[in-house]
Structures are given as structure tokens and as C-alpha cells.
Amino acid sequence: MSKTESGTRPVHPAGPPDHNPFVALAELAPAAAFMRDRTGRYVWANHAYAHLYGTTRDAVIGLHLSDIDEPADVDRFLAMDRQVLTDGKSVRHTLTYRRPDGSRAHAAGYRFPAAWGSERCVAGIYVDVTDYVRATDQRHRAEADLRALRDHSGLACVRLTPDGRVSEAGIAAAEVLGVRLSDLTGVRADAFLSDPSEHVDLFRAWHDLTSGRRRSARASAVLVAGEGTQRRARVHLTAVGAPATGVTGVWAVATRLGRRRQTQPSPTPAQLRIITLLAAGRSNTDIAEELHLSRQTLDYHLSRLRLLLEAPTRPALVARAYVLGLLSPTAWPPRPPGAARPSGPV
């Protein structure tokens, strides 16, 4: 501040604030605001701007950028001022500055051309975003840590969308579920449950998480792998998202995995009826109308059947149904063994 004390600062005419709309607006604003002439010398600053540098507004007015900022920043700021004055347009800007205690802080705002009496100047208004930047960095680090945990911990981790579909998954999760990692994305998580109707506690916990009532929960589940085996697991659920934006996802981690048990595929009555209609050559539209199902519900059942019977296509589903004895090999129209012959066509 030696230049301030020496009395070498030029004096700029500073009319009453109400003669300058920007000054009248920013004088008492919590945002940091300033005006500089084309040489980089301050003609006006508010208290919030001076506070960023640990001084008073009267001490700032008349100083040059080089008196309060580091040389590298001075060159950059002057170049931006020249751009604003040349183009006559506002510029959105994010800057890093050093606080009086030596810590680095961040601010974001705009610079734009303005008049100070008859002089053409650059005005700026900024808000401190240090806490926001710090929180964003912490969130990014936390997400990176979660992905490292997902990929290298050996835990079966998946991230689910609020509607229950897999958006991310780790290799261990794909191995537990017996499917390729690339095939997990987009699949409904309840397609891997032995019988969704038996998992009341799990679905209750899920509803509490996605509605924002809870941040974490635990429940037991019986998982069905792609090869048809089942194993019991403890599922840990953690909601992702801020209260203001709502839940954006849920991390699910399966632990305490029990031993694999080979089970005979047992479609539900509705799924068995779908297989019967598939074997009869009916289209998805026909099946949905016949069983009074929405296309979304039918797609869910077909996805579940593909996992249950290890059959990726419609012909494979029908073939597996005959091999497993789910359909009678001697009956037409197709029907399960022991089912009464229908009185009319399927």
C-alpha cells in the first residue's frame, strides 16, 4: 500500500452514486463490485470488493491492479478489460484470487463496459463461490472414490436410477449375477430377485430412499444369477443426491453372499401364460392385449424370463420351455403339461 501513502494516486471525479446506475445498485450489494479505467486503475469499488483483499473501499479507489494483484493475474485481467472495451460486450468470468490470510479463493461474475462520467470504464460484479467450488471438488473426489471402490474392492456394487434400473455396475456385481458387465446397464434390478413379491422389506426400504425419507437402508434379498442359481445376500442401499435436487440414484452393495443353490426355473403363472402365447406365435402386442398388460409390464416379464431360462431370444425362450418341461411336447395349441385342453383356439 506504499503507493496509497505516497499520494501518487490520481483522483477520479466520483459523482454521487445516484448519478451512476451501476454504482447505485452495487453500493450496498453483498456481491463484490468495482469499476476500473482503461489503464487498470480503480475509479470505484464497493465494500464487498475491498473486503476480498482485506482492506477498505477508500484504500482501493485510485490503486492500480498491479498494487493488489499478482503479476500473472494483472496481465490476464488487463487483457480481459481490453476485450470488454473493444467488443463492447459483457464477459462471464471465473477467477481465483488470494485472500489476505494467504488462502486461495474463487469468485464468479461478469465484466462489462460502463461509463464513469465522460470516461469509458470496465465494471465488474462477482460473488464468492469458494464454498461451492470446494463442495463440487469434494463431490467429484467422493464419486471417484466410489468408482474405485466399485471397480477394485471386490464388492458387488451397482448404481441404480430412481426407477430401479442399473446405471453403473462393477465387475464383481456382474460375476455375482452371472452376466456380462455390458449387459447390466439398463436392466431393472428387480429382474435379479428370486420373487419380487417376497421382498417386501427391500421394496419398502427402496421407497423410503427414493422419496427422501431415509439416506441408507439394509435388507435381505435372494438374488438369481444368469445361470439360474440363487444365493441369499445382505443388500446395503445408499441414496445419492442433495435435498434440494432430490434423489438422483441409489448405490446398492451386496454382502454376506450365501452359497449358490441350483434351482429349477419356476415362472409365475403370468410368465408361463406368456411363454404359452409365444410358443403359439403371438406378437408382443397380441400378448399384451390378451393378458391385459401394458407393454412396459410385458417387457419386464420377457426380460425376467430371458434371465430365468437363460434364453436371449424369443425362439430360444420357447425351445428352453419345451426342454425344461414347462410346455407339453405333444399338445397343440401349446399348453403346460396337465393343463386342460382349451375349448377354442389360443
Side-chain angles (χ1 to χ4, degrees):
M1 290 293 180
S2 58
K3 294 184 180 179
T4 304
E5 298 167 354
S6 65
T8 59
R9 296 185 300 174
V11 178
H12 291 268
D18 57 353
H19 290 177
N20 188 300
F22 173 66
V23 171
L25 172 68
E27 179 69 33
L28 300 177
F34 67 87
M35 291 185 71
R36 287 196 293 262
D37 65 17
R38 61 178 60 253
T39 70
R41 198 168 297 277
Y42 289 94
V43 299
W44 176 85
N46 68 357
H47 294 282
Y49 186 83
H51 180 71
L52 296 180
Y53 293 95
T55 186
T56 64
R57 63 187 295 260
D58 292 336
V60 171
I61 296 173
L63 290 180
H64 189 270
L65 262 173
S66 58
D67 295 320
I68 60 176
D69 278 306
E70 298 178 359
D73 290 334
V74 171
D75 293 339
R76 186 159 51 92
F77 295 161
L78 286 176
M80 187 174 299
D81 287 356
R82 287 193 294 269
Q83 178 187 345
V84 169
L85 292 174
T86 300
D87 297 342
K89 298 178 181 178
S90 63
V91 174
R92 190 177 186 277
H93 180 223
T94 300
L95 60 87
T96 300
Y97 67 96
R98 192 172 297 279
R99 287 173 169 166
D101 61 3
S103 63
R104 296 188 71 81
H106 307 274
Y110 286 87
R111 296 187 188 195
F112 46 91
W116 184 262
S118 60
E119 190 172 2
R120 188 169 172 78
C121 296
V122 173
I125 186 164
Y126 287 82
V127 293
D128 191 291
V129 294
T130 305
D131 292 340
Y132 171 79
V133 171
R134 183 182 297 114
T136 301
D137 290 342
Q138 289 175 346
R139 178 170 60 83
H140 289 163
R141 286 195 296 270
E143 290 178 348
D145 290 342
L146 278 173
R147 287 179 173 82
L149 180 68
R150 178 198 69 187
D151 295 333
H152 305 296
S153 67
L155 293 173
C157 305
V158 296
R159 179 168 176 163
L160 307 173
T161 60
D163 63 352
R165 296 185 181 275
V166 177
S167 60
E168 299 179 40
I171 296 175
E175 292 175 348
V176 166
L177 297 173
V179 296
R180 293 183 302 179
L181 183 60
S182 59
D183 292 339
L184 270 176
T185 303
V187 177
R188 288 187 60 88
D190 53 9
F192 299 104
L193 299 178
S194 61
D195 186 348
S197 64
E198 295 179 1
H199 292 79
V200 177
D201 291 342
L202 181 61
F203 282 99
R204 184 182 295 116
W206 175 266
H207 179 72
D208 289 345
L209 289 168
T210 54
S211 62
R213 295 177 184 171
R214 300 165 66 180
R215 296 296 298 172
S216 62
R218 298 180 183 181
S220 295
V222 177
L223 306 178
V224 178
E227 67 273 16
T229 60
Q230 294 184 1
R231 60 196 310 185
R232 185 168 292 278
R234 189 71 170 169
V235 180
H236 303 252
L237 303 169
T238 303
V240 180
T245 58
V247 175
T248 58
V250 175
W251 277 101
V253 182
T255 62
R256 301 183 188 178
L257 294 165
R259 302 184 65 176
R260 295 183 184 273
R261 295 185 295 109
Q262 186 68 43
T263 60
Q264 177 70 16
S266 54
T268 65
Q271 291 169 344
L272 189 57
R273 182 63 176 149
I274 290 172
I275 293 175
T276 302
L277 294 172
L278 281 176
R282 304 288 286 275
S283 67
N284 284 4
T285 300
D286 291 341
I287 295 173
E289 292 178 354
E290 176 82 16
L291 301 182
H292 305 290
L293 301 174
S294 68
R295 286 299 300 270
Q296 186 177 12
T297 301
L298 177 61
D299 290 342
Y300 161 74
H301 282 303
L302 290 173
S303 174
R304 184 77 181 89
L305 282 168
R306 283 192 285 269
L307 289 172
L308 186 65
L309 303 186
E310 303 177 66
T313 64
R314 291 165 60 97
L317 278 173
V318 173
R320 284 284 287 166
Y322 279 112
V323 169
L324 294 171
L326 300 176
L327 295 176
S328 172
T330 59
W332 187 264
R335 64 178 185 271
R341 178 181 292 276
S343 57
V346 174

